[in-house]
């Protein structure tokens, strides 16, 4: 049985208090907390076998190389990749998407080519394409959003044409929680010969994700949102697709032969990993993947669907609260953006923090989506495998207290709120 309360015990940080009350950590879409097994993997590497990879012939270097490559193999298995050569280790999702824009986009895209995005993208899947559009005259187009918070596919035929070279779409919105029909989009994109990049920053940590099932060519995600350390991300690519990319950063590790005036390049995946990689964090990311695999991603998803249903029900009882995104927990992840009438989301976040509840407030790096929703910002609670119903109860009670605080403050000031 999936027991979030037992699982929590493996996360030392969840024991701590803030402002004299127990921490209720509901900012998992920003970054997750780390279990002891991940902290141990980091310490173990630095304590026992710290060495550079792929170049030494001494024991420590061999152990470090084996552990680094074993982490890559675990990542490959976790996302159903055919082999480790398609798993490029980057700094994060942002760098993974930029790698596609630089190494593929700058080589292959020309004026008149189109890249199809959506209105619910994180800035990291918008800005790299803005840079490319400005340089190469590429046209950017966007799938809109329905009032319920789903992608509006009614004009897909008009948006997706033989001019479309890339469809790049988030699998799960970091604001609305919407889980997008990536498989269908990939099929449609492939029919017109476009490549498909999926931003899996929010989905890979929370859902079973299999690249063959999704039918995508490329998938980007970050270790730090899935129990692993910061500083490691992944760009998965079908090897046939990655072979068409130009090298990204040049330097050591990514070469085969270097002459004074030219170089030849290493095979996949090393061609795209110039310089000393983030060895310790990649190895600890492998430990995070073991932790998730041990629990089972189906179970993680089931827990979050139950929590999200519970939270949507409980939050809908709070007067004056607007909740954004799909109402059906089967079609969304455990990310709930909301606004409380008359209270700025930043004030709301600050007051919730006083009560121990950590949420994010702001535009969530999705300004175009905020405009579509007609708000400058929202508050956002986001869950993970260690989140409990009791914590959601604390969120709801705290929101009631904030309301009381503002209503009373308003009354004291002699005005209605
Ligand atoms: N794509 C999505 C859908 C995201 O949610 C995020 C981070 C990124 C890309 C970028 O990931 P990074 O690891 O490269 O930074 N999202 C958030 C968030 O919602 N709050 O803080 C970070």
């Amino acid at each position: 049985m999936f027991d979030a309360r037992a699982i929590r015990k493996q996360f030392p940080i969840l024991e701590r208090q803030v402002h004299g009350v127990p921490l209720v950590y509901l900012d998992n879409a920003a970054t997750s907390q780390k279990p002891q097994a991940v902290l141990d993997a980091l310490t173990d590497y630095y304590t026992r076998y710290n060495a550079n990879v792929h170049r030494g012939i001494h024991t420590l270097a061999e152990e470090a190389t084996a552990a680094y490559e074993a982490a890559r193999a675990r990542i490959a298995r976790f996302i159903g990749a055919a082999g480790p050569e398609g798993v490029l280790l980057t700094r994060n999702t942002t760098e993974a998407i930029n790698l596609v824009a630089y190494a593929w986009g700058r080589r292959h895209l020309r004026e008149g080519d189109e890249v199809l995005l959506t209105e619910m993208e994180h800035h990291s899947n918008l800005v790299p394409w803005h840079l490319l559009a400005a340089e190469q005259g590429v046209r950017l187009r966007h799938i809109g959003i329905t009032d319920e918070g789903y992608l509006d596919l009614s004009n897909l035929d008009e948006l997706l044409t033989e001019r479309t070279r890339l469809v790049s779409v988030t699998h799960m919105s970091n604001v609305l929680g919407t889980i997008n029909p990536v498989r269908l989009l990939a099929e449609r994109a492939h029919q017109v010969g476009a490549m498909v990049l999926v931003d899996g920053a929010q989905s890979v940590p929370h859902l079973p994700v299999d690249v063959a099932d999704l039918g995508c060519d490329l998938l980007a995600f970050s270790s730090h949102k899935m129990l692993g350390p910061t500083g490691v991300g992944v760009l998965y690519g079908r090897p046939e697709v990655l072979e068409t990319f130009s090298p990204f950063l040049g330097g050591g590790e990514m070469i085969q032969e270097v002459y004074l005036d030219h170089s030849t390049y290493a095979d996949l995946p090393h061609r795209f990993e110039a310089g000393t990689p983030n060895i310790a964090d990649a190895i600890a990311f492998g430990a995070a993947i073991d932790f998730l695999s041990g629990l089972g991603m189906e179970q993680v998803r089931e827990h979050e669907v139950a929590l999200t249903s519970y939270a949507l029900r409980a939050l809908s009882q709070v007067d004056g609260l607007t909740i954004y995104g799909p109402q059906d927990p089967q079609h969304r992840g455990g990310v709930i953006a909301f606004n409380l009438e008359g209270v700025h989301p930043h004030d709301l976040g600050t007051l919730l923090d006083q009560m121990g509840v950590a949420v994010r407030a702001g535009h969530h790096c999705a300004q175009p989506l905020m405009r579509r929703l007609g708000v400058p910002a929202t508050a956002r609670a986001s869950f993970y495998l260690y989140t409990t119903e009791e914590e959601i109860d604390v969120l709801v009670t705290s929101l009631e207290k904030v309301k009381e605080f503002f209503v009373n403050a308003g009354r004291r000031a002699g005005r209605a709120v």
Side-chain angles (χ1 to χ4, degrees), residues 81 106 108 126 138 269 289 303 377:
R106 276 166 183 72
H108 292 287
L126 292 170
V138 171
I289 290 203
H303 171 69

mmCIF file of all heavy atoms in Angstrom, residues 81 106 108 126 138 269 289 303 377:
data_model
loop_
_atom_site.group_PDB
_atom_site.id
_atom_site.type_symbol
_atom_site.label_atom_id
_atom_site.label_comp_id
_atom_site.label_asym_id
_atom_site.label_seq_id
_atom_site.Cartn_x
_atom_site.Cartn_y
_atom_site.Cartn_z
ATOM 1 N N ALA A 81 13.378 4.483 -22.847
ATOM 2 C CA ALA A 81 14.243 4.712 -24.008
ATOM 3 C C ALA A 81 14.897 3.398 -24.411
ATOM 4 O O ALA A 81 15.163 2.549 -23.558
ATOM 5 C CB ALA A 81 15.314 5.744 -23.669
ATOM 6 N N ARG A 106 19.209 26.086 -35.139
ATOM 7 C CA ARG A 106 20.089 26.975 -35.906
ATOM 8 C C ARG A 106 20.653 26.285 -37.146
ATOM 9 O O ARG A 106 20.998 26.931 -38.112
ATOM 10 C CB ARG A 106 21.206 27.538 -35.017
ATOM 11 C CG ARG A 106 20.710 28.758 -34.252
ATOM 12 C CD ARG A 106 21.604 29.161 -33.119
ATOM 13 N NE ARG A 106 21.027 30.291 -32.405
ATOM 14 C CZ ARG A 106 19.966 30.253 -31.620
ATOM 15 N NH1 ARG A 106 19.321 29.112 -31.451
ATOM 16 N NH2 ARG A 106 19.515 31.330 -31.009
ATOM 17 N N HIS A 108 18.944 23.756 -38.881
ATOM 18 C CA HIS A 108 17.943 23.254 -39.824
ATOM 19 C C HIS A 108 16.831 24.230 -40.171
ATOM 20 O O HIS A 108 16.123 24.002 -41.148
ATOM 21 C CB HIS A 108 17.298 21.976 -39.273
ATOM 22 C CG HIS A 108 18.247 20.817 -39.218
ATOM 23 N ND1 HIS A 108 18.673 20.151 -40.345
ATOM 24 C CD2 HIS A 108 18.869 20.221 -38.173
ATOM 25 C CE1 HIS A 108 19.509 19.188 -39.998
ATOM 26 N NE2 HIS A 108 19.651 19.203 -38.681
ATOM 27 N N LEU A 126 9.515 28.980 -24.412
ATOM 28 C CA LEU A 126 9.097 30.127 -25.242
ATOM 29 C C LEU A 126 10.316 30.929 -25.672
ATOM 30 O O LEU A 126 10.548 31.169 -26.858
ATOM 31 C CB LEU A 126 8.126 31.034 -24.461
ATOM 32 C CG LEU A 126 6.742 30.443 -24.148
ATOM 33 C CD1 LEU A 126 5.978 31.328 -23.163
ATOM 34 C CD2 LEU A 126 5.909 30.258 -25.427
ATOM 35 N N VAL A 138 12.210 32.547 -38.189
ATOM 36 C CA VAL A 138 11.261 31.439 -38.013
ATOM 37 C C VAL A 138 9.957 32.000 -37.458
ATOM 38 O O VAL A 138 9.974 32.911 -36.624
ATOM 39 C CB VAL A 138 11.866 30.397 -37.044
ATOM 40 C CG1 VAL A 138 10.861 29.345 -36.652
ATOM 41 C CG2 VAL A 138 13.102 29.766 -37.666
ATOM 42 N N PRO A 269 26.204 9.408 -26.389
ATOM 43 C CA PRO A 269 25.660 10.718 -26.030
ATOM 44 C C PRO A 269 26.758 11.763 -25.751
ATOM 45 O O PRO A 269 26.450 12.923 -25.574
ATOM 46 C CB PRO A 269 24.895 10.413 -24.723
ATOM 47 C CG PRO A 269 25.707 9.309 -24.104
ATOM 48 C CD PRO A 269 26.265 8.492 -25.239
ATOM 49 N N ILE A 289 15.902 8.097 -9.014
ATOM 50 C CA ILE A 289 15.121 7.271 -9.944
ATOM 51 C C ILE A 289 14.861 5.896 -9.340
ATOM 52 O O ILE A 289 13.758 5.358 -9.455
ATOM 53 C CB ILE A 289 15.857 7.201 -11.296
ATOM 54 C CG1 ILE A 289 15.752 8.585 -11.916
ATOM 55 C CG2 ILE A 289 15.314 6.089 -12.179
ATOM 56 C CD1 ILE A 289 15.888 8.680 -13.371
ATOM 57 N N HIS A 303 -1.781 8.187 -6.089
ATOM 58 C CA HIS A 303 -1.783 8.972 -4.854
ATOM 59 C C HIS A 303 -2.089 10.437 -5.172
ATOM 60 O O HIS A 303 -2.896 11.087 -4.483
ATOM 61 C CB HIS A 303 -0.413 8.844 -4.179
ATOM 62 C CG HIS A 303 -0.195 9.768 -3.022
ATOM 63 N ND1 HIS A 303 -0.877 9.629 -1.836
ATOM 64 C CD2 HIS A 303 0.602 10.853 -2.867
ATOM 65 C CE1 HIS A 303 -0.510 10.586 -0.989
ATOM 66 N NE2 HIS A 303 0.394 11.345 -1.600
ATOM 67 N N ALA A 377 -1.067 37.409 -11.605
ATOM 68 C CA ALA A 377 -0.354 36.395 -10.823
ATOM 69 C C ALA A 377 -1.384 35.484 -10.157
ATOM 70 O O ALA A 377 -2.573 35.801 -10.115
ATOM 71 C CB ALA A 377 0.499 37.076 -9.755
#
